[in-house]
Amino acid sequence: MDETALAAGFDATIAADQRIEPRDWMPDAYRRTLVRQIAQHAHSEIIGMQPEGNWILRAPSLRRKAILLAKVQDEAGHGMYLYAAAETLGVDREELTEKLIEGRQKYSSIFNYPALSYADIGVIGWLVDGAAICNQVPLCRCSYGPYARAMIRICKEESFHQRQGYELLLAMVRGTDAQREMVQEATNRFWWPSLMMFGPPDVASPNTEQSMAWNIKRHTNDELRQRFVDMTVPQAAALGITLPDPGLTWNAERGAHDYTEPDWDELAAVISGSGSCNAQRVAHRRRAHTDGAWVREAAAAYAEKRNRAAVAA
Amino acid sequence: MSAVPARRSWPLYEVFVRGKRGLNHVHVGSLHAADEEMALHNARDVYTRRNEGVSIWVVKADHIRASSPAEKDPFFAPAGDKVYRHPTFYVIPEDVPHL
């Protein structure tokens, strides 16, 4: 079949809102967009283990340690689902890891902010995972089959992440004044970076239109950000804390909250490397990869030796 | 089935999980492992953290032979014109029971 016929087949599949599968013909730009997006998403899960992993040993009870450990394990698992989905597009996992530790592929800017207090663990579950869920639920209907299927799995598990965070915060706001202050202070720090997780405003998001035409994205950045704000306001009220935006008010006419835009210059700066943890996060991942090299080699050598023995026998 | 990487990393395995007794194994994704034992253990850790399965199969991705999507129409054509394979092809009077 010539390229025009193949492209027509691809367009018809998209127009019918059906899924594209790995061995189907697809435009190069579609493949590149997906590789970039899925790899960035996978890297975010892997890097996302760091701010929380740091608190496993310091969590205040066995129950909280077990929960946090399970959550961090899920994030490793989510990274694996996503790398597997990326590989169906013909990229090599080793190559993706190399691009991450060489700083040639991005991950979500939210993980370049530090987790300074234990209340941050609750706020990360509540706001960061809450924002992630807003972003991810529509991706369950993404036109690329393996990505959509990975997202279905991930979304089922993310709900635990958000609820454990919120429950942790509920426990803290029912505690002492100092604990309530910790929750408020953590919320103040994470509110703006959480809003930035949806990406730049629509007017400054050049890829959105094409991604929506391909049914990769289903909603614009601003639509999802608005949804997140509207969801979060009553949750903050139930905790008895304030979201740090004096401009946050209910707009009855729109049936939605008005809110102040985050500082987009800060987002650009963090993405380009000047967040407080960029260097630390990538260095840690690079060290883990380098330190694990002998394990990967030893396991491969052992498998090879056993194969030789099996052939000889 | 996934594209197979050609470089240094551990081989790619495809993973199939039986959700519960009485169901088929279903493809759930893939992973890398040095050998089959490790592939099984990794599959348990990656794909069944919440009791999603009672049995796992792993198979090297390059051992799977798949039909080509480009020749989809000719490959499945033999079934296309045999409507008489379906029960609805046969017209039976409505008052005949148990058919």
Side-chain angles (χ1 to χ4, degrees):
Chain A
M1 264 199 279
D2 65 23
E3 188 132 324
T4 322
L6 291 166
F10 173 86
D11 291 343
T13 306
I14 296 288
D17 204 2
Q18 291 202 327
R19 300 290 176 262
I20 304 296
E21 294 296 343
R23 300 176 78 231
D24 290 340
W25 184 91
M26 60 189 88
D28 286 343
Y30 178 82
R31 189 185 298 273
R32 273 198 309 275
T33 299
L34 279 166
V35 167
R36 195 194 53 214
Q37 180 170 338
I38 300 172
Q40 174 170 338
H41 197 161
H43 296 331
S44 300
E45 299 282 356
I46 297 301
I47 295 289
M49 291 193 283
Q50 291 184 37
E52 293 181 294
N54 193 33
W55 282 92
I56 293 172
L57 291 176
R58 286 180 272 173
S61 66
L62 182 57
R63 178 176 184 271
R64 296 290 175 192
K65 283 185 211 295
I67 290 169
L68 193 50
L69 188 58
K71 180 175 191 285
V72 172
Q73 283 175 325
D74 272 355
E75 276 149 14
H78 296 176
M80 295 301 116
Y81 305 157
L82 290 162
Y83 283 131
E87 280 184 296
T88 65
L89 292 159
V91 291
D92 182 271
R93 186 173 314 204
E94 191 78 9
E95 184 188 327
L96 297 178
T97 302
E98 279 164 15
K99 283 186 172 160
L100 170 65
I101 62 184
E102 289 163 9
R104 288 189 290 142
Q105 274 177 346
K106 306 282 188 200
Y107 53 88
S108 176
S109 57
I110 191 79
F111 302 115
N112 290 320
Y113 293 86
L116 299 176
S117 87
Y118 182 66
D120 287 21
I121 298 305
V123 170
I124 288 171
W126 172 40
L127 294 181
V128 175
D129 292 317
I133 292 171
C134 275
N135 265 331
Q136 290 171 353
V137 167
L139 288 173
C140 297
R141 294 184 295 123
C142 164
S143 60
Y144 188 57
Y147 190 30
R149 293 191 285 274
M151 290 317 306
I152 290 171
R153 235 166 219 292
I154 289 172
C155 284
K156 277 187 194 161
E157 300 182 352
E158 286 286 348
S159 162
F160 140 60
H161 295 186
Q162 194 188 20
R163 289 172 65 103
Q164 67 79 35
Y166 196 77
E167 188 227 38
L168 189 163
L169 296 176
L170 273 177
M172 286 187 83
V173 297
R174 288 169 184 162
T176 63
D177 283 346
Q179 286 176 309
R180 274 186 289 278
E181 267 166 41
M182 282 170 72
V183 173
Q184 183 64 61
E185 190 271 333
T187 304
N188 293 350
R189 277 184 290 112
F190 275 95
W191 174 249
W192 302 109
S194 301
L195 291 185
M196 294 176 200
M197 286 177 68
F198 298 92
D202 293 349
V203 288
S205 176
N207 299 327
T208 292
E209 195 184 338
Q210 180 61 73
S211 282
M212 288 183 73
W214 279 328
N215 291 344
I216 294 174
K217 271 176 98 152
R218 299 286 182 164
H219 306 280
T220 71
N221 297 352
D222 287 333
E223 283 168 10
L224 292 168
R225 195 167 9 249
Q226 181 71 58
R227 186 178 296 179
F228 172 71
V229 171
D230 292 334
M231 271 174 36
T232 306
V233 167
Q235 295 169 350
L239 287 173
I241 60 162
T242 315
L243 296 171
D245 176 5
L248 186 62
T249 48
W250 176 249
N251 182 329
E253 208 172 294
R254 286 201 306 126
H257 292 85
D258 292 336
Y259 62 94
T260 309
E261 296 269 309
D263 177 356
W264 297 120
D265 293 339
E266 178 182 323
L267 176 65
V270 174
I271 288 176
S272 65
S274 15
S276 56
C277 298
N278 294 56
Q280 178 192 339
R281 299 291 186 235
V282 173
H284 186 91
R285 180 69 192 91
R286 190 185 306 121
R287 191 166 57 244
H289 189 67
T290 313
D291 290 353
W294 72 270
V295 180
R296 294 192 295 277
E297 283 160 22
Y302 179 68
E304 205 181 305
K305 185 177 112 184
R306 288 219 310 180
N307 273 345
R308 272 202 307 270
V311 171
Chain B
M1 197 201 97
S2 312
V4 184
R7 344 194 291 176
R8 338 139 252 185
S9 45
W10 290 339
L12 187 68
Y13 287 84
E14 298 294 336
V15 181
F16 301 78
V17 171
R18 184 199 294 285
K20 56 180 184 184
R21 288 182 171 278
L23 298 181
N24 289 318
H25 285 77
V26 174
H27 182 245
V28 293
S30 66
L31 49 76
H32 288 270
D35 59 27
E36 293 169 352
E37 269 319 293
M38 189 191 286
L40 267 184
H41 282 100
N42 288 357
R44 178 200 60 191
D45 293 344
V46 176
Y47 291 104
T48 63
R49 284 192 305 283
R50 287 175 177 74
N51 302 315
E52 290 94 337
V54 294
S55 162
I56 300 176
W57 291 346
V58 291
V59 58
K60 270 197 180 148
D62 56 11
H63 288 176
I64 292 177
R65 171 85 179 148
S67 62
S68 159
E71 25 179 90
K72 176 174 61 181
D73 291 341
F75 191 74
F76 293 105
D81 60 353
K82 296 179 180 60
V83 283
Y84 46 83
R85 285 177 173 169
H86 297 276
T88 46
F89 178 75
Y90 302 93
V91 179
I92 308 284
E94 275 181 29
D95 52 1
V96 181
H98 305 306
L99 271 171

